[in-house]
Amino acid sequence: MDNHATQQPFLTDIKTLRDRARQNLGQGAVTAAYQGDVNKTIDILQTVLATEIVCVLRYTMHAVAATGISSEGVKAEFSEHAREEAEHVQEVAERINQLGGKPNFNPSGLETRAASEYGHADNLIEMIKENLVAERIAVEHYQELIRYFGNEDPGTRSMLESILVVEEEHANDMHDLLIAHQGKPMLSA
Ligand SMILES: [Fe+2]
Ligand SMILES: [Fe+2]
């Protein structure tokens, strides 16, 4: 099996991405004096925004580029996910705006602001794997952020909770597709 050889670079990337996802968290929770940390919240949400934009781009590209036998169902799934990631982009951008920030849609540096990667898959299985990895990182990151915001910012927390439910569905969808097309689950990331 060549799985280890192909997965090792992936695992390195995951560590880097997780580190990046966490770098804005710092120590402890947001304080009760919310105003003092609003800029930090906005910074965190800019990372979430970049993550969601990268997910829109990756799924959109995959939906167009996926080829091969039985790819039609997969392409439809990628398209649906792209639409849902676009809804997340909108929600997060609105929240940043509500908090007094300016949502950062600047394409320059986008991927380095994100906790997910655009990817470089060139076949169906690799696309599904990249999406599964991205979704698992998103789930882990958003769970962490939900705990971080706790009761100090219920508005941001509940938005992230609703997004999290969709990301969990996305991860499940990709896992199911991987089993359907590859016949076995990916090693846990
Ligand atoms: Fe999303
Ligand atoms: Fe997703």
Side-chain angles (χ1 to χ4, degrees):
M1 301 301 293
D2 63 353
N3 257 351
H4 281 290
T6 54
Q7 278 175 1
Q8 201 50 48
F10 248 23
L11 293 173
T12 307
D13 285 344
I14 290 165
K15 188 187 178 307
T16 305
L17 293 169
R18 281 177 179 155
D19 289 347
R20 191 190 297 166
R22 287 181 178 131
Q23 74 187 1
N24 280 331
L25 288 182
Q27 304 285 322
V30 212
T31 65
Y34 183 69
Q35 288 300 326
D37 289 275
V38 72
N39 289 335
K40 189 170 179 180
T41 300
I42 291 168
D43 284 347
I44 290 169
L45 291 180
Q46 299 286 18
T47 297
V48 174
L49 179 65
T51 300
E52 295 291 344
I53 295 170
V54 167
C55 288
V56 172
L57 296 175
R58 192 189 55 255
Y59 273 123
T60 303
M61 186 268 285
H62 285 179
V64 172
T67 53
I69 191 160
S70 70
S71 68
E72 284 310 310
V74 181
K75 287 163 81 87
E77 194 86 42
F78 288 166
S79 289
E80 184 185 326
H81 285 200
R83 280 194 300 277
E84 288 169 343
E85 307 296 11
E87 290 173 11
H88 298 163
V89 167
Q90 189 73 29
E91 285 178 67
V92 175
E94 298 279 5
R95 184 64 185 162
I96 291 170
N97 186 61
Q98 281 171 10
L99 293 171
K102 182 180 173 194
N104 188 355
F105 281 90
N106 193 337
S108 176
L110 176 66
E111 202 175 20
T112 60
R113 296 196 299 274
S116 63
E117 285 184 302
Y118 178 67
H120 43 261
D122 57 5
N123 64 63
L124 199 63
I125 297 295
E126 290 304 314
M127 287 177 188
I128 296 168
K129 280 184 182 175
E130 283 187 352
N131 291 319
L132 178 55
V133 168
E135 296 294 354
R136 283 179 173 176
I137 291 170
V139 165
E140 193 174 302
H141 186 34
Y142 296 168
Q143 283 173 341
E144 204 162 24
L145 291 180
I146 287 161
R147 285 193 292 272
Y148 171 79
F149 285 113
N151 293 323
E152 306 296 340
D153 184 349
T156 299
R157 191 197 67 219
S158 65
M159 177 195 70
L160 288 168
E161 284 170 344
S162 70
I163 292 175
L164 173 66
V165 171
V166 177
E167 308 302 4
E168 286 174 339
E169 288 171 8
H170 288 175
N172 260 332
D173 291 343
M174 289 302 119
H175 186 257
D176 290 349
L177 283 180
L178 190 63
I179 291 174
H181 289 263
Q182 186 181 247
K184 61 179 185 297
M186 186 183 175
L187 295 174
S188 73

